[in-house]
Amino acid sequence: MTMTTAEADKILSASFAPWVLELGLRVEAVGDDRAILRLPWSDRLSREGGGLSGQALMAAADTATVIAVSAARGVYGPMTTVQQSTSFQRAVSGSDVLIEAVLSKLGRRMAFADITMTDGDSGEIAARASTVYALLG
């Protein structure tokens, strides 16, 4: 049974720190090995020059991985980031960002994901990330 977006949104609202929730992330879609979240544009998240801050994108990628792992497992469980690497390709200004986390491997103790962050207006890739998670429960 595939997790619904409503179930994934409940994980998002119940399992993350208040500052992560302040990003305004919304679950757009979930699948057996992936999750797509929307990071709404906000002037509060922009840096000097008007581009969306890299810290916001990295937090969104990290969060999308948790939702993707939870969707693949059918339930949220304790996990922690072991590694995250992010490459920024272009600035995003004035546009939402779609964050798609796709699991490349889900084991009993570790999960690996590739994340693509796309400008919601132009469809151009803004950043890519890879994450490694330790599954604790």
Side-chain angles (χ1 to χ4, degrees), residues 19-20 22-25 39-42 44-47 51-64 84 86 88 97 99 117:
W19 71 267
V20 175
E22 289 179 19
L23 294 173
L25 292 164
L39 175 62
W41 171 259
S42 169
R44 289 184 50 231
L45 300 177
S46 67
R47 58 179 173 71
L52 189 64
S53 76
Q55 294 94 331
L57 288 170
M58 291 175 72
D62 195 57
T63 304
Q84 179 173 338
T86 307
F88 301 98
V97 177
I99 300 97
M117 293 164 267

Side-chain angles (χ1 to χ4, degrees), residues 19-102:
W19 71 267
V20 175
L21 298 178
E22 289 179 19
L23 294 173
L25 292 164
R26 295 188 310 268
V27 179
E28 296 279 310
V30 288
D32 292 336
D33 67 344
R34 69 192 61 226
I36 301 173
L37 277 62
R38 178 178 295 272
L39 175 62
W41 171 259
S42 169
D43 287 331
R44 289 184 50 231
L45 300 177
S46 67
R47 58 179 173 71
E48 185 177 333
L52 189 64
S53 76
Q55 294 94 331
L57 288 170
M58 291 175 72
D62 195 57
T63 304
T65 301
V66 172
I67 300 301
V69 170
S70 298
R73 297 174 88 192
V75 65
Y76 172 79
M79 62 186 92
T80 189
T81 311
V82 173
Q83 183 272 334
Q84 179 173 338
S85 176
T86 307
S87 298
F88 301 98
Q89 295 181 244
R90 67 178 29 87
V92 175
S93 182
S95 175
D96 292 357
V97 177
L98 294 175
I99 300 97
E100 182 174 22
V102 179

